[in-house]
Amino acid sequence: GENVEQHPSTLSVQEGDSAVIKCTYSDSASNYFPWYKQELGKRPQLIIDIRSNVGEKKDQRIAVTLNKTAKHFSLHITETQPEDSAVYFCAAFSSGRGNTGKLIFGQGTTLQVKP
Amino acid sequence: NAGVTQTPKFQVLKTGQSMTLQCAQDMNHNSMYWYRQDPGMGLRLIYYSASEGTTDKGEVPNGYNVSRLNKREFSLRLESAAPSQTSVYFCASTGIWGGNTIYFGEGSWLTVV
């Protein structure tokens, strides 16, 4: 079945450094790749997404890159701040037959930004 | 505009009891989803409904049933709760398949003792 692998599971950086989280997906038909941030006790919140016809997208300190050939996509956070500390999830939208589809998540990365 | 609303927020069940988690969205979305989240496991898809009248199994459907009552509502039922079903459950919805933003409810914390 469809699968999304995410690495690393935990990441600790100093404030101001960059953080990179990587994901691979198995379904070559996947065409939508969102990233979510989840704070303790709260729902996942979308922070950035990318579609399969785009290789890179940037929004202020956050960027996402996609390599469809390698079935690999990454989240880059620059100039990290303590408030970036949270669990981050990648996901891949996997198409089904007709107008069906499902969003499969990676296992999550706990990011800690040390002041 | 409330977005995605799920109830109850907290529930404690005894092993073998049944219960239904309710989810409703007011965004006129076609697709709805139920996920469970366990520590270190990320979010795993239980069931989803691509459109009114259809439901499909996700990654971990065993022990659950769903009903897409109408376009707004998608319920998740535990017929005979087990301790392994202790988890946080999230309902989500999106407008059309294939790459629209997916919105999550606030979550339901379920403990089975």
Side-chain angles (χ1 to χ4, degrees), chain A:
Chain A
E2 301 86 354
N3 188 48
V4 177
E5 294 288 334
Q6 181 173 347
H7 299 280
S9 57
T10 59
L11 180 59
S12 182
V13 300
Q14 289 293 135
E15 182 178 0
D17 287 350
S18 295
V20 180
I21 302 170
K22 299 181 178 182
C23 290
T24 58
Y25 60 97
S26 61
D27 185 355
S28 57
S30 296
N31 58 1
Y32 174 62
F33 307 91
W35 285 88
Y36 287 84
K37 176 183 181 182
Q38 187 178 32
E39 295 174 340
L40 192 63
K42 297 191 175 180
R43 74 184 98 185
Q45 296 279 1
L46 179 72
I47 55 171
I48 195 168
D49 57 12
I50 190 168
R51 287 170 171 74
S52 58
N53 58 348
V54 175
E56 184 173 357
K57 183 177 178 180
K58 189 173 182 180
D59 182 4
Q60 299 181 357
R61 297 186 296 109
I62 295 173
V64 58
T65 59
L66 171 65
N67 182 329
K68 282 198 68 180
T69 303
K71 292 191 280 187
H72 171 273
F73 58 113
S74 300
L75 177 71
H76 304 252
I77 306 174
T78 58
E79 300 172 21
T80 53
Q81 300 166 3
E83 51 265 38
D84 293 331
S85 297
V87 180
Y88 291 81
F89 292 97
C90 64
F93 190 91
S94 182
S95 304
R97 61 187 183 280
N99 264 1
T100 64
K102 51 192 176 185
L103 191 67
I104 303 298
F105 283 81
Q107 296 85 349
T109 296
T110 300
L111 173 64
Q112 181 187 30
V113 180
K114 293 184 271 189

Side-chain angles (χ1 to χ4, degrees), chain B residues 87-105:
Chain B
S87 189
V88 182
Y89 291 84
F90 287 98
C91 178
S93 71
T94 188
I96 57 175
W97 75 281
N100 272 29
T101 301
I102 292 175
Y103 297 87
F104 283 87

